[in-house]
Amino acid sequence: MSVDESNNVHTRLQVHNCVVQPLLTDLYQITMAYAYWKSEKTSDTAVFDLFFRQNPFQGEFTIFGGLEECLRFLENFNYSDSDIEYLKKTLPPTIEQSFFGYLKELTAKDVKLYAIDEGSVVFPRVPLIRVEGPLIVVQLLETTLLTLVNFSSLMATNAARYRMAAGDNVSLLEFGLRRAQGPDGGLSASKYAYIGGFDGTSNLLAGKMFNIPVKGTHAHAYITSFSNPSELKTKTLINLNNGKEQDLIDLTLSWRTTLSNLLHISESQASDGELAALVSFAIAFPEGFVALIDTYDVNKWHFLGPKELPVISSFGSGILNFCAVALALNDLGYKAIGVRIDSGDLAYLSNKSRETFVKIAKEFNIPWFANLTIIASNDINEETIWSLNDQKHSIDCFGIGTHLVTCQRQPALGCVYKLVEVNGTPRIKLSQDGSKITMPGKKDAFRLYGADGFALIDLLKKSVEDPPIAKTKLLCRHPFDQKKRAFVVPSEIKPLYKVYWENGRIMQRLPDLKEVREHVKESLRTIRPDIKRNLNPTPYKVSVSDDLYEFMHELWMRNTPIGELS
């Protein structure tokens, strides 16, 4: 990475990360640092693994996010004068003053960080990041690294699941800023939703900072702020066919009368205030006209059906007014974009909208009208999309907010940061809960692939072991169950770790958001469909080498106290 390129990326993230600094941590990190210092452990070295124990959202895969921000944190890791002054006031008065001088000189130059590429599909127990360096420094990194990885990975995974539910041919827009967990949560949600597969955001600041496409229409308030077409001050629009100004209201009213008969929707049920609002918005954005059409009753009984039997209108006011404005725009040489539906039965209303557009396209020989975009919002979650798929909806784009950005189905990923080695000696954390036992020592991770190109299994080996060799029989063992083991002959093996930080600088070129987004797609393609499916997904296997298994269990036994009966 060139200096200019690095500086450009730094500028892109600087505003977002202004609060990411050494004091963005828990108090106990500082108290431990002082206790280490007091114990003269400043020369001790340590290795920590950052990993998670269970995939989120009842799924069997996770997308790794947040790596770049972790690296930017390391780049800027130092305690400012004001940080030191704050700590002096906050910590007990018994703290020796020379400790603060020690803190003031700390940087991450002696830290070495290994990581999996950002945007990769990852699985439980495989460390996403391995951090090596001075014990006190790598301990002080814990909370900040966790906060940078936890939500980012959770959000990217949530977005990827929405993308899989929607399919490749439906657009996804993130509309969640107003419901997000504060401003930083909103920015992170926009960024990692895009990485996970969303096509754009309504968040302007995220668009500016991360170069994410921004999209939006208008609110119900815009519709209800108008009462009648007569109140419009601007009523004309340039006709692209002849360059002359033409009254858009007159054209729209004429079309509304024509469409009322064609669509069997009474003009009396169409709101004049809504018409005025749509005309006004069309004049403001004639080449980007998208209208919210459910401000007024979306389901109305009326009596224009055969033999005067009551029939139910799909929208009544909204669909009639929108189509009238869209056809008026067409007369002047403009093409409307589409509609947004924000309430009601989305499958039914989208299908009725499509039927209406197709009918108008045929009646007036306007082929493009049949393909107007239908956007749906209204508190949509992943299950809603799967249900709409079953109902054969006609939606082209989902605008998703609350359930996406707050990850309502599961609000936290649960990454942990565990000590696995001190001064070259492996360490193990024991627990009665087997899932919380750590795998000791420095480990390398490999992904093993079958002949079909799909990932078979992830394998962890001690870093001192020789790497596995493709097309060679390998024994893969469950980390904690001696009965679960299998021979694997992989057609291809990919090491998962790269050195991303060493000697005080970033060691790899950092991809931009679009490249990370593409890597998410490519990584997901290598995972079998049954592992990614929504219901009852197949668990992906994470294994250890025979040497690591034996070493881990020997250390486990050595550190487990022997009980005594009396």
Side-chain angles (χ1 to χ4, degrees), residues 47-274:
V47 179
F48 281 84
D49 286 344
L50 190 155
F51 61 96
F52 60 94
R53 298 186 177 108
Q54 187 173 2
N55 290 301
F57 312 118
Q58 298 178 329
E60 289 297 340
F61 73 90
T62 301
I63 304 296
F64 175 33
L67 175 60
E68 181 176 333
E69 297 188 66
C70 291
L71 297 171
R72 298 301 171 193
F73 169 58
L74 294 183
E75 268 190 326
N76 296 287
F77 182 86
N78 71 282
Y79 292 91
S80 67
D81 290 337
S82 63
D83 292 340
I84 297 299
E85 288 306 310
Y86 172 76
L87 290 173
K88 286 180 178 179
K89 295 175 184 177
T90 304
L91 294 173
T94 53
I95 299 290
E96 295 180 33
Q97 290 302 298
S98 52
F99 171 67
F100 297 109
Y102 170 78
L103 282 185
K104 186 69 177 68
E105 298 302 316
L106 284 185
T107 69
K109 65 181 178 60
D110 295 322
V111 172
K112 190 172 184 179
L113 183 146
Y114 296 79
I116 299 173
D117 290 337
E118 186 160 13
S120 297
V121 176
V122 289
F123 300 99
R125 291 200 166 275
V126 178
L128 310 178
I129 293 174
R130 186 175 88 221
V131 185
E132 305 174 8
L135 171 61
I136 295 178
V137 179
V138 293
Q139 180 71 71
L140 287 168
L141 300 177
E142 176 181 6
T143 301
T144 315
L145 294 182
L146 285 172
T147 196
L148 291 174
V149 171
N150 260 313
F151 182 68
S152 302
S153 301
L154 186 73
M155 187 67 222
T157 307
N158 203 22
R161 293 180 63 88
Y162 275 92
R163 168 50 66 199
M164 291 193 302
D168 294 333
N169 298 321
V170 174
S171 295
L172 293 174
L173 301 176
E174 179 267 311
F175 285 173
L177 178 58
R178 64 187 60 196
R179 305 288 173 79
Q181 319 295 37
D184 187 69
L187 284 168
S188 294
S190 298
K191 177 180 179 180
Y192 291 100
Y194 183 67
I195 284 175
F198 273 59
D199 300 292
T201 178
S202 63
N203 185 340
L204 279 173
L205 184 56
K208 176 185 176 183
M209 291 172 61
F210 308 124
N211 197 29
I212 300 172
V214 291
K215 305 287 183 180
T217 53
H218 58 77
H220 293 289
Y222 188 83
I223 302 294
T224 58
S225 70
F226 291 83
S227 301
N228 193 283
S230 63
E231 69 189 65
L232 294 184
K233 302 296 189 294
T234 303
K235 303 179 181 182
T236 61
L237 192 61
I238 296 294
N239 188 325
L240 296 181
N241 300 313
N242 56 28
K244 297 179 181 179
E245 286 199 5
Q246 196 160 343
D247 191 310
L248 189 61
I249 292 179
D250 286 346
L251 263 179
T252 299
L253 288 171
S254 175
W255 271 113
R256 190 167 77 170
T257 299
T258 301
L259 290 175
S260 174
N261 295 322
L262 176 68
L263 303 179
H264 303 297
I265 301 175
S266 170
E267 278 193 90
S268 64
Q269 77 176 79
S271 165
D272 287 340
E274 181 180 58

